[in-house]
Amino acid sequence: MSLLRTVRRSPRVLVAALVGTAAVLLPLGAGHAAPSSAADPGDPGRLMLVLDSSGSMAEPAAGGGTKIQAAKTALHHVVDGLPADAEVGMRVYGAKVFSRSDTGACTDSQRVVDIGSDNRADLQSAIDAYKPYGETPIGYALQQADADLGGTGPRSIVLVSDGVPTCPPDPCKVAREISRGGVDVRIDVVGLDVNSRAASALRCIADKGHGTYYDVDDSKELSDALETLATRAVRPYEPTGAPVTGTADPTTAPTLAPGSYVDEIGGIETTTGTLHYAVERSVPGSSITVAATILTPYYVDRSQPADKWDRIDLQLSTADGQSCGTDAPASVRSMDATVLTATVDADDCPDADQLIARVTRTDGADFPTPLELVVAEEPPVLDAATLPEGVSGSIAWQAPPKGPSAGTVTGGRSFAEATPISPGAYRGTIVPGEVQSFDVQVGWGQQLAATMTIPDPSGRLAGELSQHGSPFGMGIYNPARADAVAVADGSPPHSSTIYPTDGGQVGAATAPVTYRNRELVGDPLRAAATAGEYTIVVSLADSRARTSYEVPFVLRVGVTGSVVPAPQYDLATEEPTETPSTASASPTDESPAAAEDEPTAAAKKDDGNGPVVLLAGGGALLLVVLAVGALLISRRSRRGA
């Protein structure tokens, strides 16, 4: 395997939940960015609140007061808690026309506040004017909300209703049409004290809108449901890269230079379930590596069960059809892994100037999912035979140190935004549907081990975990995103997933990192063939959760072994011919454009660990970073770093 280079009850509780919902549902679409919006991964998206103003909202709420009173109190605080840059609007339906027999009843929906970030006073005034009155034209209101949000970029709709739709069009069909705008569109629905007929209709809206439905009976349950909607969208996994569109026909495949890309791959047995991309070799004798990453079903559509499976197949071949390598990881469940990654190198085709990468959904989900692609080109090594041999025999478990916590840490939302940490112990929390990622530097000759410990829960948390059997997962991926969890003698019994109703621990380790591990049989061993940033990904999947809960954990990380000399790469024939372009790379502060004042010589020192090499030629950009004596991944700038 070759290393890649890429470019957080009562009315008070209800208030808190709604504040969180409006504040953090905004990035939801960004977390599922479609190619149309991937060029601006920092776009926080737009949110439209769609509120039921039908006459039934004047009815008593099970927890006391009326439904409309609870909503007003909460919404005022929503506005108070909005981030300064939050793009939010508000739409109501059933507010003007009293009866379905009256003209205009089924088109009775008004955008009472335009989407914007400078509209707080308008939102407060609209809340004061919010009153129960007429019918329930949900389908029409959804159509108008979709138009309000526009046709591109991350978009979210939050629908709160207490009744069955009373007007055409069918809101379930409308939700399906809206969701066809891409995976960056989401409709979440809460049904308040509704009968079975209404619940069925509202659930269909959420299902077809790639969202989540919550059926609640009183203000307390409404609070919990909205809180869950909020926390699930706090830190969604965020696919990143330059937008690209793969083709069904390999002869018309787009050409990818080394870099990071984002696309969308269709469901199984669909015309977009197989996509092709062309990869050009710019360095003679180099090693080309391609990685394809998809989100598992639960993390694409939270209405999906956490035990739903998915699978992809990645093949590399020459333009004339000669096979250069394939990777088809076993089908994986969302509870076991947030992402599924296939990684292939083209060492079997060292002389091919162009390669064709073919990505296919071969199992599981029948709906689209974001697809990340990473292309890397690694220079040849001068004398690989003189390097230490790959791992032989069993791997010994080297437990992370048990020292005091180094502090509180929150992981990043994706590979590209992983939080960098050093060996040590860290405290954190995680909520249902959340993904957290951490980067750890591992040098040549070193081994990474990590554990995630969930304490014995008590009180409400114990009830939640006991009821749902919430699966916690942890994985370790090499800089090329390949699964690097190797079986180690003496390691914790759980290396991927635990259900800690009474507390528990999951632990995993890599093999010692050696260049010639790539010659071995067994993907986890081959994955430990590159030094650099290894990513620890932890997650909590609970598709049955109707209430929000926060779980504390302790993450312990250890890196053992002495650093050995790095491989010597053959760079003699490569000279930069021009200032590299970032046209094919994902937007990043760490891209060559961000380093325009740096020298473009063939090599320079980087923290004393090795040269940084910029290679450009044949119109294709090659950025190779040699750190700890090896190539490193060039990450996106991390928000809040």
Side-chain angles (χ1 to χ4, degrees), residues 393-458:
S394 61
I395 299 169
W397 169 254
Q398 301 289 336
K402 293 185 177 181
S405 171
T408 301
V409 67
T410 301
R413 296 186 293 176
S414 64
F415 285 100
E417 292 191 345
T419 299
I421 58 175
S422 301
Y426 302 88
R427 295 188 178 277
T429 61
I430 193 166
V431 299
E434 189 174 17
V435 177
Q436 296 190 28
S437 56
F438 307 87
D439 272 349
V440 182
Q441 196 72 29
V442 182
W444 295 105
Q446 294 188 314
Q447 178 183 14
L448 169 63
T451 61
M452 178 186 183
T453 305
I454 309 299
D456 189 358
S458 61

Side-chain angles (χ1 to χ4, degrees), residues 103 168 356 415 433 511 607:
T103 301
I356 301 297
F415 285 100
D607 299 329

Side-chain angles (χ1 to χ4, degrees), residues 263-282:
D263 200 348
E264 178 183 275
I265 190 166
I268 57 173
E269 299 180 356
T270 65
T271 56
T272 57
T274 295
L275 299 174
H276 296 87
Y277 309 88
V279 179
E280 302 284 351
R281 174 179 271 114
S282 62

Side-chain angles (χ1 to χ4, degrees), residues 25 28 157-160 186-190 206 210-213 229:
L25 277 176
L28 178 61
I157 297 173
V158 176
L159 170 67
V160 179
R186 182 182 177 101
I187 305 173
D188 289 294
V189 184
V190 178
H210 294 163
T212 303
Y213 172 71
L229 285 175

Side-chain angles (χ1 to χ4, degrees), residues 42 69 120 157 163 205 208 236 246 255 334 338 356 383 386 395 410 500 531 541 555 577 590 618 626 629:
Q69 289 170 341
R120 301 324 186 228
I157 297 173
I205 295 170
K208 299 303 182 183
T255 300
S334 295
T338 308
I356 301 297
D383 193 352
T386 65
I395 299 169
T410 301
L555 178 66
T577 58
E590 296 178 5
L626 299 178

